Amino acid sequence: MNDPRRAAGTEWPTLALLACCYGTFALGTSAVAEVALPLGMVLTTLALVLHSSLSHELIHGHPFRSARANAALVFPALGLFIPYLRFRDTHLAHHQDSLLTDPYDDPESNYLDAGDWARLPRWRRALLRVNNTLAGRILLGPLLGQIAFIATDWRAIRAGDRRVALGWALHAAGLVPVALWLAVAQMPPLAYLACAYAALSILKIRTFLEHQAHARARGRTVVIEDRGLLAFLFLNNNLHVVHHMHPRTPWYRLPRLYFANPARYLSRNEGYRYRSYGEVFLRHFFKAKDPVPHPLWQRQGPPAP
């Protein structure tokens, strides 16, 4: 997919940020953790969030055009939980906008088919209702998401999917340098595991309402006009409709595109907008944005594009 807004040549801002990410990780898990473990855990958590966001950039062809070169930049599996190759494959499949929020064909959908929902036991429905609030997504989302993700991939591996198996094999290899580092770093392994979980919790804030159930594909992708810490950690992916319209545009160009002509993008997504993450917290911390069973889905086919 070509995008005229793709940066020419080496994308130094991404490379520089990647170096800062690894530097913060090393500092947080070693010197700072030795002096003040809570502060070291904060720095490490922020580094892990940034590493995931940078992985997302690399998936979309930054900073190099070579997919292998980009993958090598994030080979150490700092986040522990999500294999890079599986992230890459599922996320690129997610970028087929006509399938966004599809309970079956959008790998990143949090919706269920109404029939599948009705067949769940009450305790699972209650758990998923809690997970459908922002508070629940932060606290329970990483655990529930990881269980579902591993179960799906395990079924695929048992069915003979070599691509999925390769993703997990490479992930196991990527865990080796992390384990070797933790063997000499000052941060205890359990503290690091807590950082990895906390990082995934923060990332759940971004994905919580990136997409909504809408009859038209163009109205499913959000804009959150935030320019604070979370927007930076998410590498401006809060301007999500801009990213979906220009997936090859690097993170540091997205705000300029959006704020130069917000009416264009709000027309595109039919006004699906929040002013800030503060507004998201106020509106949805204890209140779901929509139900778990897809409100527009019919088993015979997806919502109209």
Side-chain angles (χ1 to χ4, degrees), residues 51-293:
H51 189 265
S52 177
S53 296
L54 284 162
S55 297
H56 171 262
E57 281 293 301
L58 274 56
I59 284 168
H60 284 287
H62 311 287
F64 306 124
R65 293 185 183 273
S66 166
R68 290 186 178 181
N70 287 335
L73 291 176
V74 289
F75 173 72
L78 301 190
L80 302 183
F81 300 124
I82 308 296
Y84 174 80
L85 187 61
R86 296 297 298 128
F87 182 18
R88 182 182 188 275
D89 289 352
T90 57
H91 184 71
L92 292 180
H94 161 80
H95 265 267
Q96 187 171 341
D97 282 9
S98 63
L99 298 178
L100 288 175
T101 75
D102 185 310
Y104 298 109
D105 293 329
D106 178 1
E108 297 184 12
S109 178
N110 284 296
Y111 294 97
L112 293 180
D113 171 81
D116 294 338
W117 169 259
R119 286 187 289 273
L120 292 178
R122 289 184 180 180
W123 67 267
R124 284 192 63 184
R125 279 185 280 173
L127 201 60
L128 290 175
R129 286 192 184 99
V130 173
N131 186 56
N132 214 32
T133 67
L134 183 54
R137 193 66 57 86
I138 291 171
L139 293 174
L140 300 176
L143 177 61
L144 297 180
Q146 193 67 13
I147 290 172
F149 181 64
I150 291 175
T152 299
D153 275 13
W154 176 242
R155 287 194 293 269
I157 291 171
R158 291 186 64 185
D161 193 322
R162 294 183 179 181
R163 178 76 173 179
V164 176
L166 175 63
W168 282 97
L170 292 173
H171 184 64
L175 289 172
V176 172
V178 180
L180 292 175
W181 174 259
L182 290 177
V184 298
Q186 284 70 38
M187 178 172 287
L190 284 178
Y192 187 79
L193 182 63
C195 291
Y197 192 94
L200 204 49
S201 291
I202 293 172
L203 289 163
K204 292 294 183 182
I205 300 171
R206 176 179 66 79
T207 60
F208 176 67
L209 45 61
E210 279 182 341
H211 301 287
Q212 67 172 347
H214 195 282
R216 305 179 69 184
R218 60 185 291 166
R220 297 173 193 164
T221 306
V222 78
V223 160
I224 302 174
E225 297 173 333
D226 198 288
R227 290 185 168 185
L229 177 61
L230 287 177
F232 169 71
L233 290 173
F234 301 153
L235 297 186
N236 300 315
N237 214 14
N238 50 295
L239 304 173
H240 205 55
V241 72
V242 187
H243 167 63
H244 268 258
M245 290 174 68
H246 313 296
R248 302 283 286 186
T249 299
W251 62 275
Y252 48 87
R253 292 189 173 185
L254 296 178
R256 185 188 311 169
L257 281 177
Y258 176 73
F259 289 106
N261 190 3
R264 175 193 179 194
Y265 297 101
L266 293 175
S267 173
R268 168 75 178 187
N269 76 350
E270 303 199 8
Y272 185 30
R273 171 179 63 176
Y274 291 81
R275 295 291 186 182
S276 68
Y277 279 108
E279 181 183 356
V280 174
F281 271 78
L282 285 172
R283 291 176 60 179
H284 297 297
F285 194 65
F286 294 117
K287 182 180 179 182
K289 70 181 180 72
D290 44 24
V292 179

